[in-house]
Amino acid sequence: MRISVINQKGGVGKSTTTANLAVVLARDFRRRVLVIDWDAQANASAFLGLPETPAWGNTNLVLEPTRGFHPARDVLVDGLDVVPGCPDFALVERQLLGDLLTGPRRLRRALEPVASRYDIILTDCGPTLGMLAINAVAACPDVLVPIELAHAAALGALTLQKFLVEAQSNLEASIRTLGVLPTFLDDREKTPREVLGDLSRIFGASLFTTAIHSAANVRDAGGQGRPVVLTEPHSRGAEEYRALAKEVVNRG
Ligand SMILES: Nc1ncnc2c1ncn2[C@@H]1O[C@H](COP(=O)(O)OP(=O)(O)O)[C@@H](O)[C@H]1O
Ligand SMILES: [Mg+2]
């Protein structure tokens, strides 16, 4: 399965979801997992305890593939490899735009020789719908969309759908929505529950049954470089991410 975790809005839980899902899939589901941190902010890398400015970065992966593919191996748990993010990555978008013919498929091409080593590849996208996002969905066409349960969340999701339809026809890739993941659920507040109802009407069966509650331990674990599924494996957040992993595996 090749999954892009994508939403052009920042702060909706993409990187947190990528980190937790990756650990659960590798440790509990015994899948061989590759995370590609496809964001100059390198949050997913940080949430998995990898340094902010690693010597290796995924810039090489797409711009100089001949340098080879050197992910960090067995990160936090066995079977989880990570191609870390790197601030220089902000420059890659422009360079890829200079090559409109192969630019959109660089990541797909770079992954071809190594894809068979992994059961699941998870690409954590940054908050844009530019050339990097195109590369992500071309390489990883199973789209997982975290959506924050806040007002107007559905509007952004509809923009994303337009992007995906366009990408689908331009790339001749069979992009499909693996699932929409509601995040920042708060049972005490009215808005998240209302928005959850809206999302259910809009996305129907695409909506995951699992929603991720807003929780301080989920946030704090990320800041410590260890996802909550490792720091507090019996907490509600950890259980929610295990339930999500189960849904992902079943849908794959
Ligand atoms: N379930 C959650 N409850 C509380 N805070 C969260 C939760 N998930 C993520 N966060 C925090 O929200 C912020 C944005 O999350 P992040 O995963 O980086 O989003 P994105 O990758 O979409 O920008 C981070 O500070 C993160 O620690
Ligand atoms: Mg992020």
Side-chain angles (χ1 to χ4, degrees):
M1 212 181 328
R2 293 170 166 221
I3 303 171
S4 286
V5 181
I6 188 166
N7 185 332
Q8 74 277 19
K9 193 168 184 305
V12 300
K14 291 183 292 294
S15 302
T16 303
T17 296
T18 300
N20 279 285
L21 202 51
V23 167
V24 172
L25 288 169
R27 186 193 55 185
D28 303 337
F29 289 79
R30 299 276 164 205
R31 297 299 201 275
R32 296 168 302 168
V33 180
L34 174 66
V35 166
I36 298 175
D37 187 344
W38 203 231
D39 183 1
Q41 292 177 69
N43 288 328
S45 306
F47 294 166
L48 290 166
L50 291 172
E52 220 173 88
T53 48
W56 63 93
N58 54 23
T59 48
N60 284 341
L61 190 65
V62 289
L63 295 179
E64 300 175 65
T66 45
R67 284 208 196 175
F69 175 75
H70 303 291
R73 305 255 185 219
D74 296 320
V75 175
L76 297 179
V77 294
D78 285 345
L80 171 54
D81 292 358
V82 181
V83 179
C86 158
D88 279 356
F89 204 48
L91 303 170
V92 170
E93 176 110 38
R94 243 194 50 232
Q95 303 201 16
L96 290 178
L97 278 170
D99 177 6
L100 286 177
L101 205 62
T102 67
R105 293 181 186 79
R106 287 284 188 91
L107 181 60
R108 184 154 94 186
R109 213 176 54 194
L111 288 179
E112 257 161 35
V114 296
S116 64
R117 287 189 213 159
Y118 300 100
D119 301 308
I120 296 174
I121 302 177
L122 278 167
T123 298
D124 180 38
C125 295
T128 59
L129 294 180
M131 193 59 133
L132 295 178
I134 297 265
N135 265 271
V137 296
C140 295
D142 299 319
V143 172
L144 192 163
V145 186
I147 296 187
E148 183 189 9
L149 292 171
H151 279 308
L155 284 178
L158 294 176
T159 302
L160 180 60
Q161 294 300 323
K162 285 181 206 158
F163 164 82
L164 293 172
V165 167
E166 211 176 286
Q168 161 100 19
S169 63
N170 291 342
L171 293 168
E172 298 149 33
S174 39
I175 296 170
R176 65 154 184 160
T177 302
L178 181 66
V180 173
L181 175 70
T183 57
F184 296 91
L185 181 58
D186 186 337
D187 299 325
R188 295 161 304 182
E189 302 275 345
K190 208 168 109 198
T191 302
R193 281 184 280 117
E194 280 174 2
V195 176
L196 190 56
D198 292 344
L199 294 183
S200 170
R201 278 186 292 280
I202 294 171
F203 294 106
S206 290
L207 197 69
F208 285 115
T209 311
T210 308
I212 310 295
H213 277 83
S214 184
N217 64 350
V218 175
R219 184 190 58 228
D220 295 344
Q224 294 159 18
R226 286 169 68 82
V228 77
V229 293
L230 287 175
T231 56
E232 293 182 52
H234 302 295
S235 64
R236 180 173 64 182
E239 270 167 28
E240 286 168 350
Y241 274 118
R242 278 196 297 274
L244 174 66
K246 197 169 177 189
E247 286 197 74
V248 165
V249 166
N250 288 342
R251 290 184 183 201

